[in-house]
Amino acid sequence: MNTTDPQQRKNVLVVTAHPDPGSLTASLTGFAVEHLRASGHEVRVSDLYAMKWKAVVDADDFPDHTPGRRLDVMGASERATLSGRLTPDVVAEQEKVLWSDAVVLQFPLWWFSMPAVLKGWFDRVFSAGFAYGPAVPPPYGDGAALAGRRALVSVTAGAREGAFSDRGIHGALPHVLHPVQHGLFWFTGMAPLEPFAVYGANELPEEDFARARQAYAARLDGLFTEEPVAFRSLSGGEYDRGMRLLPGTETPGTTGLDLHVRGVRG
Amino acid sequence: MNTTDPQQRKNVLVVTAHPDPGSLTASLTGFAVEHLRASGHEVRVSDLYAMKWKAVVDADDFPDHTPGRRLDVMGASERATLSGRLTPDVVAEQEKVLWSDAVVLQFPLWWFSMPAVLKGWFDRVFSAGFAYGPAVPPPYGDGAALAGRRALVSVTAGAREGAFSDRGIHGALPHVLHPVQHGLFWFTGMAPLEPFAVYGANELPEEDFARARQAYAARLDGLFTEEPVAFRSLSGGEYDRGMRLLPGTETPGTTGLDLHVRGVRG
């Protein structure tokens, strides 16, 4: 399993959020870290519960903010970022993101989205001037602020796999995760892979967990070789100045969120 | 504007999250509260920043949890809910939800989703045994745990309206908000209306703000009369036992998340 080619040695940041160190999420995180290291990669972990990560953006995030004055979050965030006056916890996470060649998120799907503490990691770490805003390159694609990185979302879900499909009542997982895949990763230039999921996670028999680890290992092995989701770039000539997809660009019959993926989703 | 018919007097819970009391979000919240009261409704407000709402689910949420033992969040949440042992802050919010005939969310769209503190309100308040899980009726529809209530999401977004459409690069707002509209509200039985949005919110000229208030007032006036989004009920005979939409149920040509809405989205 050891990769000896130094070209293939990459930096991976694993960000995870679950309150129980004995949870399936924690097991999968541990498995991913070991597997990636055994493959020769450098791995750093942000375990948000263990770090007691501050989830909520507020005035304390901007030491230069005058108490009692208006708090324009985007403006304050950008000023603090550009002047190097963000709080040390945020700076440390930004350094990890910049160090990384890939980010892996491991979290339980709570209400079809991230646990609050992980959303708060993005709210605080992906500051204006770092991940978005007028001071960085335009969003959506290879030229955006955090381009050059890959992203893999790995979730656990209580529901069965069939219920997470186009016809399944929850919707297809890539659509449910659109705000993360497209709105967070692709927006900031990171190339997201198709998400990985372990379903039926509330009561997972040991043999299913073994199968899940095997499937996860295969995805982790492809972290730097798999084809990312073919989201369209804002600068790729497919959108007009109002950021609307040009007529006739899509494969006929494609609608909704799939309009923003090249070709037809599999 | 005063409604005298007591039949039309309803209870509305407004939940809002923005760190700046002078923000557009705060203005719209204030406007909504005044407008609803002037229309004769009872209004209660959960201003999560003002309340210093605890955003993160952890063992402290479950006073009966034995420190050091496994924390099965769903199990602990259900046991605490059913035995009346949730923390007082969560119980107070659950009482507001049960009291309400409609819930209005007012928040800035951060990374195409809620601020972390609002996600944490749902993570903690919508506990197992209260909003989901085996101890309450099945999800998705009129019979689910919180049925009989309406829900209106009102967001502010920096982007322009055209970029939030099917062909717009961000995607159509109802698709972007699918985890909230369908995954939170409809899942728990609440009937969501189409979301309301104020776009271009980073720099909103006064005349645009006046227009936004007028548009918001019209939506608030329709809170109890507007047709909710026609999401399909799990128990309505349109899904199989695997929660997959039965073949031939949809209008031909409908795909993706729209499969779960009756008819074709406008």
Side-chain angles (χ1 to χ4, degrees), chain B residues 61-84:
Chain B
D61 288 349
F62 313 112
D64 290 343
H65 177 70
T66 309
R69 290 198 57 179
R70 288 285 318 272
L71 177 62
D72 159 24
V73 175
M74 185 172 157
S77 171
E78 187 172 86
R79 282 189 299 277
T81 302
L82 299 182
S83 61

Side-chain angles (χ1 to χ4, degrees), chain A residues 20 49 57 70 140 170 255, chain B residues 20 49 57 70 140 170 255:
Chain A
D20 181 8
Y49 272 93
V57 172
R70 288 285 317 272
Y140 290 124
H170 305 314
T255 63
Chain B
D20 181 7
Y49 273 92
V57 172
R70 288 285 318 272
Y140 290 123
H170 305 314
T255 63

Side-chain angles (χ1 to χ4, degrees), chain A residues 241-254:
Chain A
R241 282 160 166 269
M243 299 191 181
R244 282 170 303 239
L245 189 66
L246 292 167
T249 308
E250 73 273 21
T251 306
T254 309

Side-chain angles (χ1 to χ4, degrees), chain B residues 1-220:
Chain B
M1 186 69 80
N2 275 25
T3 304
T4 44
D5 181 354
Q7 288 292 84
Q8 291 180 22
R9 188 183 178 89
K10 301 278 192 180
N11 295 337
V12 183
L13 172 60
V14 178
V15 185
T16 187
H18 197 289
D20 181 7
S23 63
L24 180 58
T25 295
S27 298
L28 289 168
T29 302
F31 175 77
V33 170
E34 281 177 37
H35 189 84
L36 289 164
R37 285 183 179 148
S39 305
H41 300 306
E42 291 281 331
V43 183
R44 297 172 74 179
V45 180
S46 292
D47 180 342
L48 302 183
Y49 273 92
M51 293 158 69
K52 299 187 190 302
W53 179 257
K54 174 181 183 286
V56 180
V57 172
D58 59 23
D60 293 342
D61 288 349
F62 313 112
D64 290 343
H65 177 70
T66 309
R69 290 198 57 179
R70 288 285 318 272
L71 177 62
D72 159 24
V73 175
M74 185 172 157
S77 171
E78 187 172 86
R79 282 189 299 277
T81 302
L82 299 182
S83 61
R85 295 278 292 154
L86 289 165
T87 56
D89 59 344
V90 169
V91 170
E93 296 304 300
Q94 289 184 340
E95 284 171 357
K96 291 182 193 171
V97 172
L98 294 177
W99 164 88
S100 74
D101 299 303
V103 172
V104 176
L105 300 186
Q106 181 70 57
F107 62 92
L109 210 54
W110 286 356
W111 296 110
F112 303 97
S113 176
M114 305 176 195
V117 70
L118 181 53
K119 180 54 169 47
W121 186 83
F122 283 107
D123 285 350
R124 298 184 62 232
V125 175
F126 276 33
S127 66
F130 177 78
Y132 78 103
V136 301
Y140 290 123
D142 292 341
L146 302 177
R149 291 173 182 80
R150 287 169 161 245
L152 175 63
V153 173
S154 171
V155 297
T156 54
R160 307 260 188 83
E161 179 161 10
F164 275 105
S165 60
D166 263 357
R167 302 191 77 80
I169 195 164
H170 305 314
L173 192 61
H175 293 156
V176 172
L177 291 175
H178 173 84
V180 184
Q181 292 278 95
H182 190 263
L184 259 166
F185 288 128
W186 186 237
F187 186 97
T188 60
M190 301 175 75
L193 306 182
E194 286 293 339
F196 174 72
V198 177
Y199 297 99
N202 292 337
E203 289 178 47
L204 197 71
E206 180 52 45
E207 65 268 28
D208 290 359
F209 182 44
R211 257 196 299 274
R213 282 195 305 264
Q214 211 169 7
Y216 197 12
R219 296 300 307 279
L220 293 167

